[in-house]
Amino acid sequence: MNKGALEGTARAMVPAGKGILAADESTGTIRKRFTAVGIADTEENRRAYREMLFTTPGMEDYISGVILFDETLRQSAGEGTPFPALLAAKGILPGIKPDRGAKDMAGHPSEKVTEGLDGLRERLAEYRDLGVRFGKWRAVITIGEGLPSLTCLQANAEALARYAALCQEQGLVPIVEPEVLMDGDHSLERCAEVTELTLRIVFDRLADHRIHLEGTILKPNMVIPGKGHSHQAASAEVAEATVSTLLRCVPAAVPGIVFLSGGQTPQQATENLNAINARFPSLPWEISFSYGRALQDEALRAWLGQREKTPAAQAAFYHRARNVGAARAGRYSTDMEAA
Ligand code: 5MM
């Protein structure tokens, strides 16, 4: 393992003012996103949509890396440049989602375990040769009556750690994503409790598997009440709860924490990230973003699969990336929404 190279890549993923675009929707997920706004789910539309995002002028001012799905990694812009090369030419690091998705966990109704370890070493080696610099593996944790089970947390943490070890062996920085879902009516305190337990188990397993933490990025959920909870927390509350949870469980050796948006609106995800950075300017880690929906929703709704709407969609994407980039430095204000 080349620890110095991994550390350099990890730091390059979380530079000041920039974060990561999660554009790694698997086939089923992008179909859901397209169907919601009436776009036909064809391979060409999936390619054209990603081309619209990746050719946005100036996106590199706020985006340090892009996570891709296997299909997208092998696609090209209309003029023939493969997407990984197009991103690299803008100084953006290409990443990959090599997991095979969260599947129903046998014997554990309503819980999921992420699969994809079989053949992972070979897939990662191929991805590296195609220009990929980092990976991302997502585990999904559900809060509910008697959930999550310890077994589900342990199984997912073990898979995350084995994935991370294989990434580092192949020279790729692992983004480790244990997502505690916002679905449900649980309180912010319950989310804090489950997030803390999840992170403790994940970092235990990362240690067991000898993961080089300085070459690892954590992608957690913010500590936030369930979507159905009666009290929706203000940004200041989310920031306090999120940071106190992270401080209890995430070693200072980890160079960066990049949040997922998890179903927050684009503006909520921007405000909450801003509150964390504004209120806690001297944390041991870089605090950034790796948003999927919060970065893309407005652009997707502006695009609608119509090529002539590309400039409007790119303007929407750029606007959100700029605002989230400001939030990454704690310098966002709601006035910027109108600008
Ligand atoms: C972009 O969505 C990613 C892929 O999801 P599927 O495996 O379900 O297709 C997802 O892993 C994403 O990277 C994270 O969940 C963060 O995205 P959000 O939308 O929560 O910011």
Side-chain angles (χ1 to χ4, degrees):
M1 185 198 304
N2 183 340
K3 291 184 176 176
L6 289 170
E7 289 169 19
T9 303
R11 281 195 301 270
M13 291 162 70
V14 286
K18 299 190 193 184
I20 294 169
L21 166 66
D24 58 316
E25 296 86 358
S26 53
T27 320
T29 303
I30 196 71
R31 184 179 311 123
K32 224 188 312 172
R33 305 269 185 269
F34 276 8
T35 307
V37 295
I39 301 173
D41 181 33
T42 62
E43 184 177 346
E44 173 50 19
N45 275 347
R46 295 194 292 271
R47 189 206 63 76
Y49 174 61
R50 270 60 180 252
E51 177 173 19
M52 179 278 289
L53 290 174
F54 304 161
T55 57
T56 297
M59 72 179 270
E60 61 276 17
D61 296 344
Y62 308 108
I63 302 295
S64 55
V66 175
I67 315 172
L68 304 166
F69 182 59
D70 183 275
E71 176 187 84
T72 317
L73 179 76
R74 300 171 195 281
Q75 289 175 325
S76 301
E79 37 70 31
T81 309
F83 284 143
L86 185 148
L87 293 168
K90 289 176 169 234
I92 295 174
L93 300 168
I96 187 75
K97 185 245 297 289
D99 68 60
R100 296 253 154 104
K103 312 284 185 203
D104 289 343
M105 186 165 165
H108 287 74
S110 308
E111 296 200 288
K112 306 261 183 202
V113 63
T114 303
E115 297 186 352
L117 290 168
D118 287 355
L120 184 57
R121 172 178 279 129
E122 293 72 24
R123 293 207 303 286
L124 292 174
E126 188 202 359
Y127 291 143
R128 186 199 52 221
D129 294 345
L130 289 169
V132 161
R133 304 287 301 281
F134 66 93
K136 190 220 69 176
W137 180 289
R138 173 171 173 250
V140 175
I141 309 300
T142 303
I143 299 182
E145 196 62 40
L147 303 180
S149 68
L150 199 54
T151 315
C152 173
L153 294 177
Q154 287 168 337
N156 274 297
E158 180 70 14
L160 277 166
R162 289 184 58 196
Y163 138 83
L166 285 163
C167 275
Q168 292 193 332
E169 178 196 85
Q170 295 302 319
L172 305 179
V173 168
I175 296 183
V176 170
E177 182 184 10
E179 175 176 5
V180 178
L181 294 176
M182 277 173 72
D183 300 335
D185 58 5
H186 52 270
S187 64
L188 174 137
E189 291 72 24
R190 177 74 180 130
C191 178
E193 192 177 81
V194 172
T195 302
E196 181 171 337
L197 181 61
T198 303
L199 292 175
R200 282 189 192 287
I201 295 173
V202 166
F203 279 99
D204 265 5
R205 285 296 195 277
L206 293 181
D208 290 346
H209 283 267
R210 303 178 180 168
I211 301 307
H212 184 55
L213 292 182
E214 292 83 345
T216 302
I217 299 287
L218 175 70
K219 178 168 173 171
N221 52 285
M222 292 179 191
V223 173
I224 214 162
K227 282 184 207 151
H229 189 64
S230 49
H231 170 71
Q232 284 307 310
S235 290
E237 272 181 278
V238 171
E240 297 282 343
T242 302
V243 169
S244 54
T245 302
L246 294 172
L247 281 170
R248 287 192 202 111
C249 331
V250 184
V254 171
I257 295 180
V258 296
F259 290 104
L260 57 93
S261 57
Q264 300 177 59
T265 65
Q267 193 171 335
Q268 276 171 343
T270 310
E271 287 176 5
N272 287 338
L273 178 66
N274 189 66
I276 293 170
N277 278 306
R279 297 171 79 87
F280 301 96
S282 332
L283 292 169
W285 334 273
E286 294 295 328
I287 295 284
S288 187
F289 58 90
S290 172
Y291 292 162
R293 286 163 287 180
L295 274 171
Q296 295 183 51
D297 274 3
E298 294 147 311
L300 179 64
R301 284 168 202 285
W303 187 64
L304 293 178
Q306 298 165 27
R307 307 304 187 265
E308 66 280 10
K309 292 189 172 166
T310 292
Q314 291 185 331
F317 174 51
Y318 184 84
H319 181 254
R320 182 54 51 197
R322 191 196 60 154
N323 288 359
V324 180
R328 192 240 177 281
R331 286 202 291 265
Y332 164 81
S333 76
T334 46
D335 305 344
M336 294 171 68
E337 292 298 333

